[in-house]
Amino acid sequence: MKMTSGVEAALHSCLIMHWREGTPVTSGRLATFFALPPAYLQKTLRALVAESIVGAARGKSGGFVLIRPSESISLMDVVSAIEGRSPLFHCAEIRLDGQSGQLGPRSGACSISHAMHRAEMSYRRALAAQSIADLAQQAGSTVRERTLSALS
Amino acid sequence: MKMTSGVEAALHSCLIMHWREGTPVTSGRLATFFALPPAYLQKTLRALVAESIVGAARGKSGGFVLIRPSESISLMDVVSAIEGRSPLFHCAEIRLDGQSGQLGPRSGACSISHAMHRAEMSYRRALAAQSIADLAQQAGSTVRERTLSALS
DNA sequence: GCTCGAGTACTCGGATACATGCTGTCCGAGTTCGCTGGG
DNA sequence: CCCAGCGAACTCGGACAGCATGTATCCGAGTACTCGAGC
């Protein structure tokens, strides 16, 4: 149970795209900025394109841009775009196999699955409660200025 | 980001051990009950032994037993025993690499790391709030009776 | 000087190898029970 | 009949393969800018 490293890159990239306010950023530019493999970062960003979080423009002055207001892009959106929407704890219902599955009619979902699901919902809610805009505000204007000038 | 399947097996096994109230259960018995690979389930349970959640007795009448009161064994204990204690989102601090790391003194941890950590704490707290005893109570006495008789 | 057009350089996009870690398996170490022989 | 000792069977324990997913990479498709020739 470990989160993909691409999530961190995606979030940082989204933050920068938010600051650029519509001006496209190339994956190569971001890659050198973060010292990450260019092709891999690009692949990660494409996952955001597939989820309609950012838009991709080809050509010499192309790049990636946020296509939704940053207030409406939650951390949950980015995480699920990279990691997928499958739950952390997928109950394989081992009780249904072997002898445990022959204990007669079962009373709904098992308590374990229920408890794990509840905890996971708490996690997802916490992620959904924060947006890219919130992150930008918390980061402050100083970081913003320095980042933008370094990217120019 | 997917939870190991061993967690489900470990939780179900703990629930059964709780019901057995000190009587050891062999991994082989649990494996046939759940229709799982015996050696693999045993390996999983040994992780619980390493964390002093359950005890292992060798010999002909050996097996695994809970060695702590089930009220004090939280889901978090079991999950961290199987999955380890490393956080879901390990911030690699990509801002420190490349150009982004040369933007001057940084004001503490980045906001992204902070936000992700907060969500994760919410998850961990939800898991820590529930114990094996709680699960047993939610499961009900009917399931308990059937399970115990099937294991005898 | 202005316009049109081809070329070029840069971008994203999909298909393809490599690595790490979960999944599954094997054989060895250790302990308890049961049987057997003797007292 | 009781007890000690030995053997066997069962258990856990650690080391060893197999496979799936994340990580990393390459080359092809497409677009905007640029430069030059023609009008």
Side-chain angles (χ1 to χ4, degrees):
Chain A
M1 187 174 64
K2 196 190 62 169
M3 185 167 287
T4 303
S5 68
V7 172
E8 182 182 4
L11 287 173
H12 275 284
S13 299
C14 281
L15 197 54
I16 289 180
M17 286 186 241
H18 162 73
W19 279 331
R20 306 254 309 180
E21 294 175 351
T23 307
V25 197
T26 67
S27 63
R29 194 72 199 82
L30 289 173
T32 56
F33 185 67
F34 291 135
L36 290 178
Y40 183 50
L41 177 59
Q42 189 188 64
K43 184 180 181 178
T44 301
L45 292 178
R46 266 166 39 207
L48 298 179
V49 174
E51 293 294 320
S52 300
I53 294 174
V54 311
R58 281 181 166 175
K60 197 166 187 176
S61 66
F64 294 92
V65 197
L66 289 184
I67 59 175
R68 279 164 47 187
S70 54
E71 292 83 9
S72 72
I73 304 176
S74 68
L75 298 192
M76 189 68 238
D77 293 334
V78 177
V79 169
S80 60
I82 305 294
E83 296 283 343
R85 283 180 178 73
S86 60
L88 277 76
F89 182 82
H90 174 64
C91 189
E93 287 291 345
I94 57 178
R95 298 200 309 160
L96 294 180
D97 305 326
Q99 297 181 355
S100 60
Q102 306 168 358
L103 296 183
R106 295 163 57 257
S107 55
C110 69
S111 56
I112 292 176
S113 174
H114 204 72
M116 296 299 286
H117 184 69
R118 199 176 341 173
E120 189 174 334
M121 283 313 258
S122 170
Y123 179 64
R124 296 177 106 90
R125 261 192 291 269
L127 285 182
Q130 303 185 71
S131 68
I132 298 294
D134 295 333
L135 289 183
Q137 189 177 3
Q138 292 166 21
S141 58
T142 307
V143 175
R144 178 192 125 107
E145 296 303 326
R146 285 177 175 159
T147 303
L148 285 179
S149 65
L151 275 172
S152 63
Chain B
M1 187 174 64
K2 196 189 61 169
M3 186 166 286
T4 303
S5 67
V7 172
E8 183 182 4
L11 287 173
H12 275 284
S13 299
C14 280
L15 198 54
I16 288 180
M17 286 187 243
H18 163 72
W19 280 331
R20 306 255 308 180
E21 295 176 350
T23 307
V25 198
T26 67
S27 62
R29 196 70 199 84
L30 290 171
T32 55
F33 186 68
F34 292 134
L36 291 177
Y40 184 49
L41 177 61
Q42 189 187 66
K43 184 179 181 179
T44 302
L45 292 178
R46 264 165 39 206
L48 298 179
V49 174
E51 294 294 320
S52 300
I53 295 175
V54 311
R58 281 181 165 175
K60 199 164 186 175
S61 66
F64 293 93
V65 198
L66 289 184
I67 60 175
R68 279 164 46 188
S70 54
E71 291 84 10
S72 72
I73 304 176
S74 68
L75 298 192
M76 189 68 240
D77 294 332
V78 176
V79 169
S80 59
I82 305 294
E83 295 283 344
R85 283 179 178 73
S86 60
L88 277 75
F89 182 81
H90 175 64
C91 188
E93 287 291 344
I94 57 178
R95 298 199 310 159
L96 294 179
D97 306 325
Q99 297 180 355
S100 60
Q102 306 168 358
L103 297 183
R106 295 163 57 256
S107 55
C110 68
S111 57
I112 291 175
S113 173
H114 204 73
M116 295 300 285
H117 183 68
R118 200 177 340 176
E120 190 174 332
M121 284 311 261
S122 171
Y123 179 63
R124 296 177 106 91
R125 260 192 292 270
L127 284 182
Q130 302 185 71
S131 68
I132 297 294
D134 296 333
L135 289 183
Q137 188 176 3
Q138 292 165 21
S141 59
T142 308
V143 176
R144 178 192 126 105
E145 296 302 326
R146 285 179 175 156
T147 303
L148 286 180
S149 65
L151 275 172
S152 62

